[in-house]
Amino acid sequence: MTFLTVQTSPIEGQKPGTSGLRKKTAVFREPGYLENFVQCVFDGTGGAAGKTYVVGGDGRFFNTEAIGTIIRMAAANGAKRLIVGQNGILSTPAVSNLIRKNGTDGGIILSASHNPGGENGDFGVKFNAANGGPAPEKITDAIFARTQGISEYRIAPDDAGDVSTIGNYRLGDLQVDVIDPVADYEELMRALFDFDAIREMFEGGFRICFDAMHAVTGPYAKQILEGTLAAAPGSVINAVPSPDFGGGHPDPNPVWASELVAIMSGERAPDFGAASDGDGDRNMIMGKDAFVSPSDSLALLTAYAHHAPAYSGGLSGVARSMPTSQAVDIVAERLGIPCYETPTGWKFFGNLLDAGKVTVCGEESAGTGSDHVREKDGLWAVLLWLNILARDGRDIVQLRRDHWRSFGRNYYSRHDFEEIPTEAANALMNALRRRLGTLAGARVAGLTVNEADDFAYADPVDNSLTEHQGVRILFQGGARVVLRLSGTGTQGATLRVYLGRYEGPGGDHGQEVQAALSPVIEAVERIADITKHTGRNKADIIT
Ligand code: G1P
Ligand code: ZN
């Protein structure tokens, strides 16, 4: 087979971030745009010759075409083998598992996670390394460096072949294995959890609603929950992945998963509710009329993970991203295991997991996971919860209430100010950083600042230092505010303000979250002048 070498030149702004390269779908569809970046991924990782990769995506608009392009480019770059999900479908945790299970050289995931899809939505390309996790900075830096000097890309002129049928085919010397997207993932889950206990619980009448949000977890949840575990038919809603996620925003939080929130309210509500995002790595957990915050979910999963066979021997340690609430710290302390605080983004957990320092980790942004893969895993969190509930016997709301009684409650909320001009966002953060040294001891809105800093992380495994990861302001009495700019937005800047307040075991733990946090909200407005800088007097999204 003859391959084409196409002359090209560097394209501005192809800098992969925490979650790969994310842009508007229209940008990815510009002639040569995707090809340029894929070639840089290959070149930046030592070339594709002789290598094996996993390739799949969340089914959003342009997924199939992009997979065809990657197959043709892998063939022209001399790759040996690709493992591709049938119809181009693979969830992010499923890709991570396949990379590890097959010992591949990495994987390419097509997704913009929870960002809306469709012709006018977002698209993304992410490279995962041989450990199954998001590429570490030295790899993304090498890929980026390549984007600055690229002059040609290689591609097979032919049709990429048929990925709609399970089986194998060849494109030149490249072998393409089209696999069932769910089978290997289900096998892994079966090895971690007590499927018999969960199945018995469902057979005994336990009711679940899982909202796949028209995204990638639909086929996984249908097969595992309704199939293998015998949840009632119809338990999984919005189960068919659609190119534009049914016009919705596949972000599992109370704002975007409002359909689930409605189902989970009132007398007739199921016992347990859950949702996952575009590419299946995030999760949202609910009981009847109750949203379980991701930070609380992490703390509770840590406290009760021993109910699942895979974690019955205890956890080596836990990790949370810095903005995540400190609820899990208190659990770790009581369990006598270390708790690590890392910068935002899953990649920072990778070293800790690889070194065996932690078993479970999580982020406030609805990501929870363990050492079973190197990505957060939405359905894993749901299955761990089901395993815990099946063994524990209490319902989730009761279990959480008892937990607060014993450990105290960390009231927690995130306020996002979206699409603000980049200069205004930078001005706010710079002004705040300049004032950091003067904040300690200040009294604002009835709260006293204990200390304030700009979070820096020294990786305990490779000693690398990551600085400027967000401003932390700690108040006397355990309240805390964190401010940072999003690294995943595609338009303007997003300011994230994370608010927390601790109420010890003796409290009543029953306050409405925003009300409980109102002094902290007022304090951060005064300290950071959010309204003055952004022109907004309230957040766009409150979760
Ligand atoms: C967001 C979340 C972060 C998560 C990342 C990728 O990043 O806040 O926790 O790891 O998406 O899913 P951000 O936009 O805040 O940089
Ligand atoms: Zn995601």
Side-chain angles (χ1 to χ4, degrees):
M1 177 177 277
T2 50
F3 299 119
L4 302 174
T5 299
V6 182
Q7 302 306 312
T8 187
S9 44
I11 294 172
E12 275 294 297
Q14 290 199 325
K15 186 171 173 57
T18 321
S19 315
L21 183 67
R22 257 185 221 176
K23 297 280 171 193
K24 288 278 158 210
T25 311
V27 173
F28 267 103
R29 295 174 78 204
E30 282 164 15
Y33 189 93
L34 173 69
E35 290 83 346
N36 255 41
F37 187 68
V38 171
Q39 188 65 50
C40 293
V41 169
F42 290 151
D43 293 352
T45 53
K51 292 193 178 159
T52 297
Y53 302 101
V54 178
V55 183
D58 63 10
R60 68 180 63 219
F61 186 85
F62 195 52
N63 191 53
T64 320
E65 278 159 273
I67 285 182
T69 300
I70 293 168
I71 294 173
R72 288 161 59 215
M73 291 186 67
N77 279 276
K80 186 171 139 214
R81 181 177 166 224
L82 294 184
I83 300 169
V84 184
Q86 184 182 20
N87 294 316
I89 293 288
L90 282 176
S91 76
T92 289
V95 169
S96 186
N97 176 44
L98 287 165
I99 293 172
R100 296 165 65 78
K101 188 171 174 181
N102 296 285
T104 75
D105 298 286
I108 299 176
I109 302 171
L110 306 171
S111 173
S113 189
H114 51 286
N115 291 10
E119 210 168 337
N120 302 313
D122 290 347
F123 194 79
V125 176
K126 178 165 114 157
F127 179 72
N128 277 32
N131 74 342
E137 216 135 285
K138 60 175 194 303
I139 296 185
T140 52
D141 283 351
I143 294 171
F144 177 57
R146 196 56 206 131
T147 67
Q148 311 285 290
I150 186 169
S151 58
E152 55 185 47
Y153 65 81
R154 289 179 288 289
I155 190 161
D158 315 57
D159 181 28
D162 175 20
V163 298
S164 68
T165 317
I166 291 174
N168 315 307
Y169 68 87
R170 295 194 85 85
L171 191 65
D173 289 335
L174 174 73
Q175 177 177 331
V176 182
D177 294 339
V178 181
I179 59 154
D180 174 347
V182 182
D184 297 85
Y185 181 80
E186 177 169 358
E187 190 186 303
L188 175 64
M189 293 301 118
R190 199 188 281 275
L192 300 176
F193 300 120
D194 187 344
F195 269 30
D196 292 338
I198 302 174
R199 195 184 159 98
E200 239 171 70
M201 179 172 74
F202 280 125
E203 283 169 350
F206 183 93
R207 289 164 60 228
I208 183 176
C209 178
F210 181 98
D211 187 351
M213 304 191 84
H214 307 276
V216 81
T217 45
Y220 293 83
K222 263 274 192 273
Q223 182 168 317
I224 298 173
L225 297 175
E226 291 186 22
T228 308
L229 296 171
S235 294
V236 181
I237 61 170
N238 301 319
V240 180
S242 96
D244 69 345
F245 305 119
H249 196 135
D251 192 355
N253 63 46
V255 177
W256 297 115
S258 55
E259 186 178 346
L260 177 70
V261 173
I263 291 171
M264 290 307 294
S265 71
E267 283 289 290
R268 296 275 310 131
D271 303 287
F272 185 81
S276 193
D277 74 329
D279 62 328
D281 56 359
R282 294 187 176 201
N283 72 88
M284 166 170 145
I285 302 295
M286 293 192 74
K288 284 185 207 256
D289 285 311
F291 166 69
V292 180
S293 80
S295 295
D296 275 350
S297 178
L298 176 64
L300 283 152
L301 291 178
T302 300
Y304 292 98
H306 60 268
H307 282 309
Y311 311 106
S312 60
L315 311 176
S316 61
V318 288
R320 64 164 171 85
S321 66
M322 182 272 280
T324 303
S325 97
Q326 291 139 305
V328 71
D329 303 32
I330 306 169
V331 177
E333 200 184 327
R334 209 168 294 176
L335 290 174
I337 57 174
C339 177
Y340 297 87
E341 185 176 37
T342 61
T344 296
W346 205 260
K347 66 180 176 186
F348 293 98
F349 296 136
N351 275 353
L352 298 171
L353 291 164
D354 284 345
K357 287 184 179 295
V358 304
T359 312
V360 165
C361 40
E363 294 191 275
E364 55 66 43
S365 54
T368 338
S370 87
D371 58 0
H372 69 292
V373 288
R374 291 296 180 273
E375 287 278 2
K376 51 196 176 223
D377 188 343
L379 200 47
W380 168 89
V382 172
L383 290 167
L384 178 53
W385 261 114
L386 292 171
N387 191 149
I388 290 168
L389 297 174
R391 289 279 195 88
D392 184 272
R394 277 173 291 180
D395 75 48
I396 182 167
V397 177
Q398 184 64 43
L399 194 130
R400 183 177 66 169
R401 194 176 309 134
D402 293 348
H403 183 88
W404 287 339
R405 218 165 267 156
S406 166
F407 291 83
R409 176 175 184 186
N410 293 73
Y411 288 98
Y412 187 82
S413 179
R414 185 175 101 186
H415 289 199
D416 288 339
F417 299 80
E418 296 184 329
E419 291 186 30
I420 50 183
T422 308
E423 310 78 64
N426 288 335
L428 182 152
M429 290 303 294
N430 291 340
L432 190 58
R433 287 191 163 108
R434 273 197 303 273
R435 289 187 49 211
L436 277 181
T438 66
L439 287 176
R443 219 176 139 67
V444 202
L447 296 170
T448 306
V449 177
N450 235 353
E451 53 182 300
D453 70 358
D454 190 355
F455 182 61
Y457 177 66
D459 188 304
V461 179
D462 64 16
N463 295 318
S464 59
L465 185 68
T466 310
E467 295 178 281
H468 310 299
Q469 293 302 299
V471 167
R472 295 191 285 195
I473 305 169
L474 306 168
F475 299 94
Q476 275 168 24
R480 186 183 76 149
V481 178
V482 172
L483 297 99
R484 59 178 282 279
L485 300 182
S486 156
T488 60
T490 50
Q491 217 140 61
T494 295
L495 170 70
R496 303 203 196 284
V497 182
Y498 310 81
L499 307 139
R501 209 196 98 198
Y502 180 63
E503 184 179 63
D508 83 345
H509 309 127
Q511 291 182 64
E512 194 274 321
V513 176
Q514 300 306 319
L517 292 170
S518 65
V520 193
I521 297 171
E522 200 184 319
V524 68
E525 167 56 34
R526 296 233 210 122
I527 293 173
D529 289 324
I530 298 174
T531 305
K532 189 187 101 194
H533 283 286
T534 66
R536 314 271 174 87
N537 52 21
K538 69 177 198 2
D540 300 283
I541 301 275
I542 294 181
T543 50

